Structures are given as C-alpha cells and as structure tokens.
C-alpha cells in the first residue's frame, strides 16, 4: 500500500485543525502509565559549546589560522642484551618550539617507570589484579637515566628531576618561541618486563624469546594550546599523547635475531641473507604472501648472515608520533605488497613463531594486514608509512605507528579482529593524534567504529557479524553504574573500560551514520575530520564541531545524551485511536519519550488487510514535547503498531513498544 519508509507530512492548516479536532477523538488505548523523566530544555539546551572558537581552534572544528604544535625528532642508538633482557643506549631529541611561548624547561615521559614497585601505577592496582601491571612479577626496574645533556656547541650536562613517570629537564637558557630548537642527549638503560601492562614484554617460545619492545625511550610530553605541558602520569590504563617527528633508529641485536620495527628498513643487505633479500624485493611486487624466512629456516643457522655475533638494524619513519620494535631468533617472516591510492604502495610484513604457524592462523596475518590497510586507505586516508608489520606476541593487542603486536595464539575471525583493530589505530590516533591519556574514546571508539565497516567488507563478508540488536545493547550501555564516555580512562573502573572506551562510542557513531545523518552525510563529515586533523592534535569539541559543520546538523542533543551523560532512551506507544472514530479517516498515534535521551522515532503500522508501512519522525518532535501525536493516513482498521521494529535504536524498554488491536 505505502512504501517501506513512509515519511509523514502534514500541512500547517491541517496541524491547526488537528490540534483542535484531536480532542473530539476517543482514545481507546494507553500503553504507558509510567511518568516521563524527559526534560526537553535539558536535552536541547543551546549552550552546548561553552567557549567560542579561537585563532588556534576554529568554531567550525578546523585547526585555526594560527594553529601550532611542537615537533620532536629522535636519533636513537640502542643495544639488546637478550640474556639480561636489557636495552641500553643513547637518544638525541631535536625539539622544536613552534608555540608562542618561551620555554625554560622541558617535560619528558618515562613510561618504563610504571614498572617500579613504588610507582603511582603500581600502588593503585587493585588486589584483584589489573591488565595495567606486571602480573605479579617480582620486578622492580624502570629507566636508569645515566646522563642528560644539552648539545649547545659542546654537550652541557643539565639538571633534571624525575617524578614517577615524568622527567623535567631544566634548560640553561630559555627556548625561543616560533621555531626555537634545542637538542637533548640522554644516556639510559632498562630491563624489559616479561609482561608490561599488556603493551610490551617477552614471550618465551621453543626457538627463543620474542621481545615486543614499546615505551622504550624517554619521550617528549606534548606542549599544546589547551593546557600547556601535558604531564598526566602514566598509570597503565591510559595511553599516550605524543608529538610528531622523524625517527632514525639503530638497533643492535644478536646476529641470530630478526628485528622488525616501525618504518623502513634501510639496510636489508646487511641483516638478511642474499636469498632473503631477493624474497624481500619479490614481496614488494606481490599481491600474494611471500615467505621470506620459513618455519624450517628458523632452526637453520644458515638463515642468518654468518660471521657476526651482532647485527645493527637501521630503520627510519617520518611524520610519526612514536616507534616500536620486536626482536627474536624465532621469527618466521612473510610479506606482501599493500596497494594504496594514487599508485603508491607499502609492505605488509608478519613476524611470528612456529607456535603460530597455522593455515587458519598467522599464515593469514599478511593477508589480513594487507586487506585492512587497503580498506582504510581507500575509505578514509592513504596509509602513510612504508611498512605495516604484524608481530605475534604474548599480548592481547597493541598498536604503534607502522607496527602492531597481536596475540600469538589467535586464528580465524579472532586473528582478523585483532589485526584489523590494531591497524585501524593507524588512523586513530597515529594519523589523527588525539590525547589518549585523557580522551581514550577518541582513538579506541572511533577505531572500533571503522572496524565495523572493514569487517563487513573483508573477503565478501567472511567474518561479517549479525545485525546489531540495539535494544539488547541499550540495557548494557545505559547501566547507571557506568561513567560517561567522556570520563578520562583513569577515572573509569577497569571493568567498565571495554564498554565505555570501545563499544559505546562506536555504536554511537554507527547510530549517527545509519539512523540520524545517513551514510553519505556522515562519511563526508567523518572524512573531513580525518583530513583536517591528520598529524595534528584535536580535542573532543573539534570532533563534535567538525561533524556538525560538515553535516549541517545541530547534534548537541546527541553528544549530550550519548557522550557527556549516561542517559537512557525509552520511547513508548501511549495511545492509538481513529480520527472521528472512523478508521477510513486516519489513525491518531501518540508516542511518548519516557527517559532523558531523545531520538528519532520509527513507527511501523500494519493494517487489518496485512499492508505494512513505516513512518520515520525526526528528533525535533521532542524539542518541546514529551509526547507526540500524529495522523496516520489509514483507510481501514489497524491491527498493530510497533516502535523501532528492527531494534536499530537504543530503546531500553521493549515492553511498551507495541500495540495490538483488542479482539
């Protein structure tokens, strides 16, 4: 009778007539006796943005005309002692102050200090344990800072102070604004923990240790236009906020090790055998996985260059906020070309032990890596790095620019999920460099959202999940014991983290895309956010403003409901009757908003003859009402009315969503 989606439209004259005549109809059904707690002035309050745009951050969500950020370039030379599990060496940081402020000191992050027994993070681990610690190891390490100096003609030793996971370096003179540079040289060492907050560690395999090495060098804190120096301590759950720059790294390891790292390997001829170099070059041209070092090679000393006790691996990555690496004698290595927009390419590389060498497991890692990176590159922004390396480790999954650590034992859909998720982080927060230390939903949530889309398309839907039932999710997401999504990760109970940091923001964006803005408008706005803030530092309101400005929609009610508060949605059918008591003249359907979250309404109507149609009402029906009555243009009796029949909205009470004619 009517189209699947019938959008009700009523003229102003009829609305006036209806408002007067509705009183003449006899309501014969009331499905909602519960009182509403909805406050439309609270939900649609116009004072969502409490400050205007500035020269640094535009009201439109763009970086402002005077936006700035500082830069940190690193030259690092380290050595791995695989017996002592020790990394030692030097770094030279060239720090550029692009801010308008003079700086008399610098702040650096010493993340390995989390693993000191007297660290703040160690002292706040609950008795039940935490992912953030060292899993009960008898371990007391952290950075051993041997010297700090400023290169100013000659190296001048400078004073520094260490407070937990931060180090303050006092400069001999002020660092000038708008381009002033200083070089800091640090000699240091540390012992790698066996399990380091599920982000770094050592995995014992039958062919040797796998070192997954992260947070392994003193790193510059960010100085920005929001708070100045960002010195929030690292306590394990919260992640990172880092400056961009170039990393030039030399890693010396035992000669029987394979080392993989963020960025481009600059000296393959010095660290691979002649046959492996040929296979490496072949992989750069191949869309199929090329095995460079096989499971048989792992036990063969000839698979490593001879005559040396140690080898130095040289890597470089540009426009990166971090760098990580892995080293092991146990690595099988394979690779394939990643095809990028504009005819460019990158290289997918996998490094894993024989324990992971299964057809449904890590033998598919390079295939998964390639597909994931190609999808995001085509959909959002091209992958910016020369390689994408997937390392099998004894970690649940952790991301760094150009390299990720994934669980060694995963297979099939589970391996796809962790691989796709960790490489999705290339876009959030490696390209779009948000502050993970404070706003973890801006990387984990946005990444989890884009993972939904990539999984739907991978290999013609090989791992595509079933449809999301938002009614079931609503009962979880609106649990009143949960903190708001925008709470900082250190202010969220660890058991709530998965829901609030990953799932709820991702499902919120899915709602925004599928039910509120539509795919075309949402994708255009979402891509604009990536384009605007690529290799920059957005805050949450930069994201909100960009989506609204590009999509052309006031979404303050949505951000307020879903992100800033933990509001529930409960729409109910509160009345069904016929206009003038005559089914041929139309049905008067009244719906109510019983909880604090407004949402568009989807109403499905079935008539006695079996015809079905749907009406989608915009969220504006709730801008000044807690209930809404509309005329459905029926010409016969109605048998059922259902709210949100496909369960695509987060309605927490399905029991009041349907009406049936009395028999």
């Amino acid at each position: 009778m009517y189209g699947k989606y019938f959008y009700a439209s009523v003229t102003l004259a009829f609305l006036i007539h209806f408002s007067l005549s509705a009183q003449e109809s006899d309501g014969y059904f009331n499905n909602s006796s519960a009182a509403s707690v909805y406050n439309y002035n609270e939900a649609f309050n116009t004072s969502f943005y409490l400050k205007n745009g500035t020269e640094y951050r535009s009201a439109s969500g763009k970086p402002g005309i005077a936006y700035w950020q500082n830069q940190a370039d690193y030259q690092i030379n380290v050595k791995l002692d695989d017996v002592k599990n020790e990394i030692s060496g030097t770094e030279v940081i060239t720090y550029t102050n692009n801010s308008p402020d003079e700086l008399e000191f610098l702040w650096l992050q010493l993340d390995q200090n989390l693993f000191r027994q007297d660290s703040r993070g160690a002292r706040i681990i609950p008795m039940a344990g935490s992912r953030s610690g060292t899993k009960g190891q008898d371990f007391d390490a952290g950075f051993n800072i041997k010297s700090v100096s400023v290169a100013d003609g000659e190296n001048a030793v400078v004073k520094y102070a260490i407070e937990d996971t931060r180090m303050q370096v006092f400069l001999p003179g002020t660092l000038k604004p708008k381009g002033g540079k200083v070089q800091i040289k640090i000699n240091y060492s540390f012992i790698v923990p066996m399990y380091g907050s599920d982000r770094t560690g050592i995995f014992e395999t039958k062919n040797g240790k796998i070192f997954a090495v992260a947070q392994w060098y003193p790193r510059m804190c960010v100085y920005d236009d929001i708070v100045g120096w960002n010195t929030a301590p690292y306590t394990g759950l919260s992640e990172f906020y880092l400056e961009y720059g170039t990393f030039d790294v030399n890693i010396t390891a035992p000669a029987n090790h394979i080392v993989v790292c963020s960025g481009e390997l600059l000296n393959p001829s010095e660290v691979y055998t002649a046959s492996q170099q040929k296979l490496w070059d072949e992989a750069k041209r191949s869309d199929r996985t090329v095995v460079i070092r096989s499971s048989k090679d792992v036990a063969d000393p000839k698979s490593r260059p001879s005559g040396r006790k140690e080898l130095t691996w040289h890597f470089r990555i540009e426009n990166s906020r971090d760098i990580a690496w892995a080293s092991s004698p146990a690595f099988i290595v394979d690779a394939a070309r990643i095809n990028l927009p504009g005819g460019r390419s990158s290289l997918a590389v996998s490094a894993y032990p024989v324990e992971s060498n299964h057809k449904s497991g890590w033998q598919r890692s390079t295939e998964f890596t390639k597909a994931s990176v190609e999808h995001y590159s085509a959909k959002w922004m091209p992958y910016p790095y020369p390689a994408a390396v997937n390392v099998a480790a004894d970690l649940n999954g952790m991301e760094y620019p150009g390299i990720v650590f994934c669980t060694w034992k995963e297979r099939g859909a589970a391996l796809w999920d962790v691989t796709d998720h960790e490489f999705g982080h290339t876009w959030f927060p490696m390209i779009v460099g948000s502050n993970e230390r404070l706003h973890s939903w801006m990387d984990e949530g946005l990444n989890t959202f884009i993972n939904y889309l990539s999984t739907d398309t991978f290999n013609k839907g090989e791992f595509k999940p079933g449809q999301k039932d938002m009614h079931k999710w609503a009962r979880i997401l609106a649990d009143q014991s949960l903190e708001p999504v925008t709470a900082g990760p250190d202010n969220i109970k660890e058991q709530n983290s998965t829901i609030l940091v990953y799932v709820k923001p991702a499902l919120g964006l899915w709602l925004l895309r599928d039910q509120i803005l539509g795919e075309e408008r949402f994708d255009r706005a979402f891509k604009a956010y990536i384009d605007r803030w690529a290799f920059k530092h957005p805050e949450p309101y930069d994201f909100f403003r960009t989506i609204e400005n590009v999509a052309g929609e006031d979404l303050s009610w949505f951000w307020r409901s879903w992100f800033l508060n933990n509001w529930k949605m409960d729409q109910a059918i509160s009345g069904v009757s016929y206009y003038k008591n005559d089914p041929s003249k139309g049905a008067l359907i009244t719906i109510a908003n019983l909880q604090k979250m407004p949402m568009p309404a989807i109403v499905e109507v079935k008539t006695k003859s079996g015809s079905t149609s749907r009406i989608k009402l915009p969220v504006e029906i709730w801008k000044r009402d807690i209930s809404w009555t509309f005329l459905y243009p029926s010409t016969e009796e109605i048998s059922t009315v259902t709210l949100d029949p496909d369960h695509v909205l987060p309605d927490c009470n399905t029991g009041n969503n349907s009406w049936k004619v009395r028999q």
Side-chain angles (χ1 to χ4, degrees), residues 164-176:
D164 195 50
T165 59
R166 295 140 315 161
M167 177 169 68
Q168 189 175 22
V169 175
F170 300 97
L171 300 175
T174 58
L175 180 58
K176 299 301 181 184

Side-chain angles (χ1 to χ4, degrees), residues 171-294:
L171 300 175
T174 58
L175 180 58
K176 299 301 181 184
K178 299 183 179 180
K181 294 180 183 290
V182 64
Q183 283 193 329
I184 305 294
K185 183 177 181 180
I186 302 173
N187 294 304
Y188 70 98
S189 66
F190 70 97
I191 303 297
V192 182
M194 293 298 293
Y195 175 89
S197 193
D198 206 22
R199 296 194 170 101
T200 189
I202 304 169
F203 175 35
E204 296 270 12
T205 78
K206 66 182 181 181
N207 291 307
K209 301 172 183 176
I210 293 177
F211 290 83
V213 184
Q215 290 88 260
W216 57 284
Y217 59 99
R219 307 187 291 183
M220 290 301 307
C221 292
V222 172
Y223 186 81
D224 64 20
D225 63 288
I226 301 169
V227 300
W229 284 110
N230 285 260
T231 58
Y234 177 45
T235 58
L237 274 180
S238 59
E239 291 186 298
F240 314 111
Y241 187 31
L242 301 162
E243 297 288 18
Y244 289 92
T246 295
F247 293 79
D248 194 289
V249 175
N250 290 290
I251 301 166
T252 300
N256 65 333
H257 279 226
I258 296 282
V259 177
V260 289
C261 182
S262 305
E264 182 180 6
L265 174 62
L266 298 180
N267 62 337
S269 63
E270 297 176 20
V271 293
Y272 281 119
T273 65
S275 60
Q276 289 166 350
Q277 292 172 50
K278 291 180 181 179
L279 292 168
W280 186 265
D281 290 337
E282 180 184 338
K284 292 180 179 180
R285 302 185 299 271
S286 174
D287 284 323
R288 294 183 178 274
T289 300
V290 175
V291 178
I292 295 165
R293 190 186 192 220
S294 69

